[in-house]
Amino acid sequence: MNEDLEIIRKRTDDAENEVKELTESFNKLKALAQNGHSVELIEGNVPDELTELITQNTKLKHRLAILKRALHEEKEKISQNTMESLLNSLTDVFTKAVCKAYPDVPDPPVPLTTSSSAQFGDYQCNAAMPIAQLLKGQGIKVSPRDVANKIKENLDESELIDKVEIAGPGFLNVWISRNYCQRLLTNILTKGVLPPRLLRRLKVVVDFSSPNIAKEMHVGHLRSTIIGDSICRLLEYLGHDVERVNHIGDWGTQFGMLIAHLQDKYPNYRTESPPLAHLQAFYKESKVLFDTDEAFKKRAYECVVQLQAFNPEYTAAWKLICDVSRKENQKVYDRLDIKLTERGESFYQTRMETIVKDLKERGLLEEDEQRYIMWGLNKEQIPFTIVKSDGGFTYDTSDMATLKYRIEESGADWVIYVVDMGQATHFVVLNGCAQRAGFLDPAKVRMDFVGFGVVLGEDKKRFKTRSGETVRLTELLDEGLKKALETLKAKGRDEVLTPEELKEAQEAVAYGCIKYADLSHNRVNDYVFSFDKMLEDKGNTAVYLLYAYTRICSIARTANVSVAQLEQAANTTAVAVTHEKEWKLAKVLLRFPEVLTKITRDLYIHSLCEYLYEIASTFTEFYDNCYCVEKDSTSGDIKKVHMDRLLLTEATARVMKQCFNILGLKTVGRM
């Protein structure tokens, strides 16, 4: 979505408000006439108010006509840049009917779902039962079926709806127009796969990945990185202003011991670059000294004090360590195609000092055993420790300063934290403390904790190496490349693909299967990491879906039909929706906006994976029953090309590709 579209929406809203005001004026005129006032201008018999209204009547009608026409034109402009959600459109139609039928029922529920079977239509409105219950609460006894009848009677004519039937106790079964849906499918071919309408463009800060400096990224960082990236891709596609933040651990006690060890081991580090390629080993050495040598420990604490005072010598040492770690992390991000803006804990040092002073002055901190704590909204939960007994700050302090910065300085409308489920309580308390401090207003700023479970080995325990070490992410990705190549060679793909194509397919399968295995699970659950299962070419796996996509893309090529020819044909040929399998596939494709809207509400990315698998499965049904290209059984020559079905095939490929893009998976032309 661009800024022009935001301006269009603003003008649309203004126009709708003016239409409403003008309609109220007309209703006032009508009420006066119904109360016995003549609407003819008879001098001496017309009240002043009515005279004024009648005088303006012609002008009002003219302005109203102009506004309605402008409103229609503005909505047309919006529709040209978005993909219509059938569910949202149907909900609007039925909500209007319910409000007309039962104007005295406040906020009536209008639930709509896809029908479970074709015999019950395409969608089903289940508003009758809950409305009957609400009416009963008002002392009005009416059967759900009668409610359904009244809703049906008040439905406005809509080109989207073919017919509506009442079934059972009051279900409203809806059949949608195939011609209408054909036009929407044609839009996919002529305009691309557009996002659903965005009601308001938000500034969204997504906090994800967040490794610690001087420690190598491990499998524990995998889920936050993959899930966070996919959420960003979704929100960016929808048109939000997304800031991808890597809140790295680059501050605190560990840097005191790292700097002290650097000074001991490489005293000339300021003039000679120390060999810190294996920073993890260097970190372990410093940690052993910190735990066993009291003199070193004391010096490490002194280094922390100097660093937090921004002493140039210590800051230089800190930057050197951070740069080495940063370069290693970037190698992982490049391989996984992850984009991030680094803003670590160090950025908030001065802001922590400011917020602590503010909270103290406002009496929001309590002294407890020489430390200062802050309660959230519920005193039964663990409080935040804002200042330690030694006067130092904590992660709690840092998170408070960070959230305050994101809302007040960065202007976030929505803040998302992609962190493991073990920190769920921490973020509940953060939310409560931020509300008490006054910088988080849930009515103005949305804050989400996107928790996820643990990665397990095939023994159902935490995923570790045979020696019990945490699995390094670089080693995991290398193993994925090795396994992917073995899989491709086992299928003989090395014999038909060029070396460049084979490498491209290898990386797409390796990184794609790792990402998809994570994203396809409900994020709050633990999941078992298994390359064997990831690389299966059956079921809901990346390999199956990537193969399915390349096969779908090859159908038109087999018929010697180019993408340009398909796009040209879309202007004159309607997409196939006659056969039941064609229609079933068409409806699945047109649910794309609904799926994205749902994920925006709950941030469960696995719903998109399930949808992608449903597309592939439904396409297989279509392809098995509907010939796209007919060939001579003897010669193999093409006898007939069903262009309308090829158009449906192309629409399928385009929706699948957009799903892959949101999930962060790369597709290849040949596999």
Side-chain angles (χ1 to χ4, degrees):
M1 299 293 179
N2 55 33
E3 294 300 326
D4 289 341
L5 193 53
E6 291 297 316
I7 294 169
I8 289 171
R9 288 192 179 133
K10 178 67 168 59
R11 292 211 308 262
T12 300
D13 292 341
D14 291 343
E16 286 178 338
N17 289 333
E18 192 163 357
V19 168
K20 184 178 178 181
E21 291 174 6
L22 294 176
T23 303
E24 288 175 356
S25 296
F26 288 140
N27 289 337
K28 198 169 186 180
L29 176 62
K30 183 178 177 182
L32 287 168
Q34 289 174 342
N35 288 334
H37 294 291
S38 171
V39 293
E40 299 294 332
L41 281 171
I42 303 172
E43 190 174 354
N45 296 327
V46 184
D48 291 343
E49 185 179 11
L50 182 57
T51 301
E52 178 64 22
L53 283 171
I54 294 172
T55 302
Q56 296 296 324
N57 193 30
T58 304
K59 293 180 181 179
L60 290 172
K61 283 185 177 179
H62 180 63
R63 285 177 61 202
L64 183 59
I66 292 173
L67 281 168
K68 284 186 174 179
R69 186 165 61 248
L71 186 60
H72 176 74
E73 290 173 358
E74 301 291 14
K75 287 183 175 178
E76 282 295 308
K77 288 179 184 178
I78 290 173
S79 67
Q80 290 172 9
N81 293 279
T82 60
M83 184 173 177
E84 179 180 351
S85 166
L86 295 179
L87 182 63
N88 286 353
S89 295
L90 287 172
T91 301
D92 289 344
V93 170
F94 277 87
T95 299
K96 189 181 291 185
V98 168
C99 290
K100 283 167 62 180
Y102 297 100
D104 295 330
V105 176
D107 298 321
V110 187
L112 271 101
T113 60
T114 52
S115 294
S116 57
S117 172
Q119 64 178 322
F120 301 128
D122 304 309
Y123 285 83
Q124 191 174 77
C125 176
N126 301 321
M129 276 72 84
I131 289 174
Q133 285 296 316
L134 290 172
L135 291 170
K136 185 179 179 181
Q138 295 177 1
I140 303 170
K141 190 175 182 181
V142 60
S143 72
R145 193 172 179 90
D146 288 341
V147 172
N149 270 309
K150 194 168 182 181
I151 293 171
K152 184 181 176 184
E153 290 168 4
N154 281 276
L155 282 171
D156 289 340
E157 189 174 335
S158 170
E159 58 179 345
L160 168 59
I161 298 173
D162 192 25
K163 66 175 179 177
V164 177
E165 291 182 356
I166 298 172
F171 300 114
L172 287 150
N173 294 334
V174 185
W175 280 260
I176 54 179
S177 164
R178 298 194 182 198
N179 289 339
Y180 190 89
C181 291
Q182 278 180 316
R183 294 200 295 273
L184 297 182
L185 290 166
T186 298
N187 285 344
I188 292 175
L189 299 166
T190 58
K191 300 176 182 177
V193 183
L194 298 171
R197 181 181 177 185
L198 187 66
L199 296 177
R200 180 178 163 227
R201 189 169 190 257
L202 302 176
K203 172 67 178 290
V204 189
V205 174
V206 185
D207 181 328
F208 68 105
S209 192
S210 306
N212 289 318
I213 290 295
K215 295 181 182 178
E216 285 190 86
M217 290 182 71
H218 54 76
V219 72
H221 296 113
L222 186 66
R223 300 207 73 182
S224 177
T225 304
I226 291 172
I227 295 169
D229 177 60
S230 188
I231 288 173
C232 289
R233 287 171 178 267
L234 169 63
L235 298 178
E236 287 161 352
Y237 173 66
L238 293 175
H240 292 295
D241 175 16
V242 180
E243 188 175 7
R244 299 158 159 260
V245 177
N246 196 6
H247 187 74
I248 60 168
D250 65 349
W251 209 242
T253 304
Q254 73 270 28
F255 284 94
M257 63 187 195
L258 286 166
I259 292 170
H261 191 40
L262 183 68
Q263 292 171 338
D264 290 346
K265 194 167 185 178
Y266 305 108
N268 298 325
Y269 70 89
R270 281 174 288 177
T271 54
E272 298 176 17
S273 182
L276 291 178
H278 300 289
L279 198 54
Q280 181 91 2
F282 186 80
Y283 175 86
K284 288 180 178 179
E285 290 173 9
S286 67
K287 184 70 167 68
V288 169
L289 288 168
F290 185 82
D291 291 338
T292 59
D293 187 332
E294 282 300 319
F296 178 88
K297 187 174 186 177
K298 182 178 179 182
R299 197 153 52 83
Y301 277 127
E302 290 171 356
C303 289
V304 173
V305 173
Q306 292 296 325
L307 177 62
Q308 291 181 345
F310 301 104
N311 182 307
E313 178 184 339
Y314 293 82
T315 301
W318 168 74
K319 285 182 177 178
L320 188 151
I321 294 166
C322 288
D323 285 344
V324 173
S325 191
R326 187 179 293 115
K327 287 175 184 175
E328 291 303 309
N329 291 344
Q330 191 58 47
K331 292 177 184 177
V332 173
Y333 294 138
D334 288 343
R335 293 175 73 173
L336 293 174
D337 192 24
I338 307 292
K339 304 290 189 295
L340 280 156
T341 298
E342 184 182 300
R343 192 173 294 125
E345 294 169 10
S346 60
F347 178 82
Y348 303 99
Q349 173 64 24
T350 57
R351 289 172 175 83
M352 284 190 269
E353 295 166 3
T354 301
I355 197 171
V356 168
K357 182 183 177 186
D358 176 63
L359 294 174
K360 279 184 178 179
E361 288 175 351
R362 292 165 56 199
L364 293 173
L365 301 184
E366 293 182 17
E367 193 168 356
D368 178 68
E369 297 180 357
Q370 295 185 314
R371 60 182 183 141
Y372 285 96
I373 63 171
M374 181 176 182
W375 297 97
L377 298 177
N378 185 352
K379 279 208 170 187
E380 292 181 2
Q381 294 168 339
I382 298 170
F384 265 8
T385 297
I386 302 298
V387 182
K388 295 188 293 184
S389 57
D390 62 3
F393 299 146
T394 68
Y395 287 121
D396 300 342
T397 326
S398 173
D399 281 348
M400 283 287 283
T402 301
L403 183 55
K404 189 174 192 293
Y405 166 81
R406 289 170 177 172
I407 295 171
E408 294 188 349
E409 295 186 59
S410 191
D413 303 298
W414 187 2
V415 183
I416 300 171
Y417 292 90
V418 187
V419 190
D420 68 90
M421 288 297 295
Q423 298 193 50
T425 301
H426 171 82
F427 283 96
V428 170
V429 178
L430 173 62
N431 188 300
C433 287
Q435 287 190 55
R436 285 193 65 211
F439 55 82
L440 174 62
D441 181 354
K444 295 178 181 178
V445 177
R446 175 177 171 182
M447 176 179 162
D448 280 302
F449 165 72
V450 176
F452 53 83
V454 176
V455 181
L456 304 175
E458 295 191 63
D459 58 359
K460 303 294 175 69
K461 296 178 181 178
R462 281 183 178 267
F463 193 30
K464 293 184 180 295
T465 63
R466 290 180 180 177
S467 61
E469 296 285 319
T470 303
V471 179
R472 295 168 60 222
L473 209 41
T474 51
E475 292 176 355
L476 191 73
L477 297 180
D478 290 343
E479 182 69 12
L481 286 172
K482 178 185 171 185
K483 296 275 189 182
L485 186 59
E486 290 172 357
T487 300
L488 291 167
K489 285 185 174 180
K491 293 179 178 295
R493 306 319 295 164
D494 55 322
E495 298 173 8
V496 296
L497 299 177
T498 66
E500 293 77 15
E501 288 174 333
L502 183 62
K503 185 175 186 298
E504 189 180 10
Q506 177 192 11
E507 291 180 353
V509 170
Y511 303 147
C513 77
I514 290 171
K515 288 184 178 184
Y516 194 83
D518 191 311
L519 296 171
S520 61
H521 289 85
N522 185 321
R523 59 175 167 76
V524 300
N525 298 331
D526 300 342
Y527 86 95
V528 175
F529 191 98
S530 167
F531 273 123
D532 290 340
K533 289 183 179 179
M534 289 178 190
L535 292 166
E536 287 180 356
D537 59 1
K538 295 179 182 178
N540 189 9
T541 67
V543 175
Y544 167 73
L545 292 167
L546 289 169
Y547 272 128
Y549 173 76
T550 53
R551 189 178 76 250
I552 291 168
C553 291
S554 71
I555 294 170
R557 287 201 305 267
T558 302
N560 298 317
V561 178
S562 68
V563 173
Q565 288 172 312
L566 285 169
E567 291 175 349
Q568 187 175 1
N571 294 316
T572 56
T573 305
V575 180
V577 293
T578 305
H579 191 281
E580 63 171 322
K581 298 301 182 183
E582 296 169 346
W583 180 229
K584 183 178 179 181
L585 177 58
K587 288 189 294 182
V588 171
L589 296 178
L590 293 177
R591 280 191 16 242
F592 178 68
E594 300 171 20
V595 174
L596 299 194
T597 301
K598 175 192 174 296
I599 299 171
T600 306
R601 290 194 299 266
D602 61 28
L603 300 177
Y604 282 100
I605 295 291
H606 74 276
S607 300
L608 185 60
C609 298
E610 291 171 354
Y611 173 67
L612 185 54
Y613 181 59
E614 184 182 359
I615 293 175
S617 303
T618 309
F619 181 85
T620 300
E621 288 183 40
F622 154 73
Y623 192 67
D624 289 345
N625 288 274
C626 304
Y627 288 114
C628 294
V629 181
E630 295 185 40
K631 294 183 178 181
D632 184 275
S633 58
T634 305
S635 66
D637 294 337
I638 295 173
K639 292 176 13 181
K640 185 177 181 181
V641 174
H642 295 271
M643 187 60 75
D644 57 348
R645 288 175 177 169
L646 282 185
L647 291 176
L648 184 58
T649 299
E650 177 64 15
T652 302
R654 292 190 179 194
V655 174
M656 287 186 74
K657 186 173 179 62
Q658 188 56 61
C659 291
F660 284 129
N661 288 342
I662 293 171
L663 295 171
L665 274 67
K666 290 186 177 179
T667 57
V668 290
R670 298 182 67 205
M671 185 178 289

